[in-house]
Amino acid sequence: MKRIAAFVLPLGLMLAACLGFAGSGRDALAQADEPGEYVLGDPSAPVTIIEYASLTCPHCAHFHTQTLPELKKRYIDTGKVRLEMHDFPLDRVALQAAVIAHCGGPERYPGFIDVLFRSQERWATAPDPVVALTQIARMGGLQPEDVNACLADEALTNRILQSRLDAQEEYDISSTPSFVIDGEVHAGDQGVEGFTQLLDPLVN
């Protein structure tokens, strides 16, 4: 328990900064996000990056914390590219984390994703990942009973799993992160330079 408590406060501050939480956990639970894509950028951007990610995937975390900020500055904030993130859980813990992130509701979901990737090494390898995730969720306004209710929601879980099945069937996705750009699948974090080579011919 001490190991978890050691990172609750900084994570809480991070969540508050990302989300500016308002309302109770039960309000958030009542408005649980529908699993689908999380869209970052102008919906009418000429180029779309479709990302398939697992919340326990270290390479996915690297993309979100190291590569994405520069791509956002160069391409997303300038209206050239939009990013769609889809759930592709590789294991049970990733699935549980995705369920909890969606339980925050659509407005809080991006902030939960950001915090979960930034703190991945701590909660994903905790002795009891669900306890660690529940501590994070509490900082985001969800009570333990709300988290338990979401984890017991078979319909929500099945919709997240369906996202993975759809990716496998449509694009033959088998690893994370995987990116679909202009109909072509690119496996792994390409890094800023790699994405620049892929995107510049499409946006210039």
Side-chain angles (χ1 to χ4, degrees):
M1 185 64 69
K2 289 183 179 179
R3 184 179 178 184
I4 295 170
F7 66 86
V8 167
L9 179 58
L11 285 177
L13 294 175
M14 194 186 305
L15 279 166
C18 288
L19 304 176
F21 289 124
S24 68
R26 296 209 174 273
D27 290 339
L29 183 63
Q31 302 170 11
D33 194 11
E34 284 291 323
E37 74 274 7
Y38 152 43
V39 179
L40 183 64
D42 187 345
S44 61
V47 176
T48 298
I49 300 174
I50 304 174
E51 177 199 7
Y52 292 96
S54 173
L55 287 170
T56 53
C57 160
H59 298 292
C60 299
H62 184 273
F63 169 75
H64 276 264
T65 60
Q66 304 300 318
T67 304
L68 182 56
E70 185 62 27
L71 295 184
K72 188 173 182 296
K73 183 169 67 174
R74 293 187 188 184
Y75 299 101
I76 297 174
D77 291 346
T78 56
K80 297 177 180 178
V81 172
R82 68 194 292 261
L83 173 73
E84 290 183 7
M85 177 185 162
H86 293 250
D87 294 307
F88 196 94
L90 292 177
D91 51 52
R92 182 175 180 82
V93 176
L95 176 60
Q96 292 169 326
V99 168
I100 292 171
H102 282 291
C103 280
E107 293 183 357
R108 301 180 184 188
Y109 179 77
F112 268 114
I113 293 299
D114 184 60
V115 170
L116 289 171
F117 275 131
R118 291 182 184 279
S119 61
Q120 182 192 80
E121 291 184 1
R122 289 171 283 182
W123 62 263
T125 59
D128 188 335
V130 172
V131 172
L133 287 167
T134 301
Q135 293 287 345
I136 295 172
R138 289 189 70 175
M139 297 301 101
L142 296 177
Q143 297 303 312
E145 58 268 28
D146 299 326
V147 173
N148 291 336
C150 282
L151 291 175
D153 187 339
E154 292 185 5
L156 175 59
T157 298
N158 288 338
R159 287 196 293 271
I160 293 173
L161 291 174
Q162 187 63 50
S163 174
R164 172 173 172 152
L165 291 174
D166 291 344
Q168 290 173 318
E169 293 178 2
E170 187 171 0
Y171 296 112
D172 197 27
I173 302 296
S174 60
S175 63
T176 60
S178 287
F179 304 89
V180 181
I181 303 174
D182 199 27
E184 188 173 337
V185 178
H186 304 272
D189 181 1
Q190 306 296 307
V192 175
E193 291 186 4
F195 279 108
T196 297
Q197 293 177 5
L198 292 171
L199 294 173
D200 277 357
L202 301 175
V203 300
N204 293 328

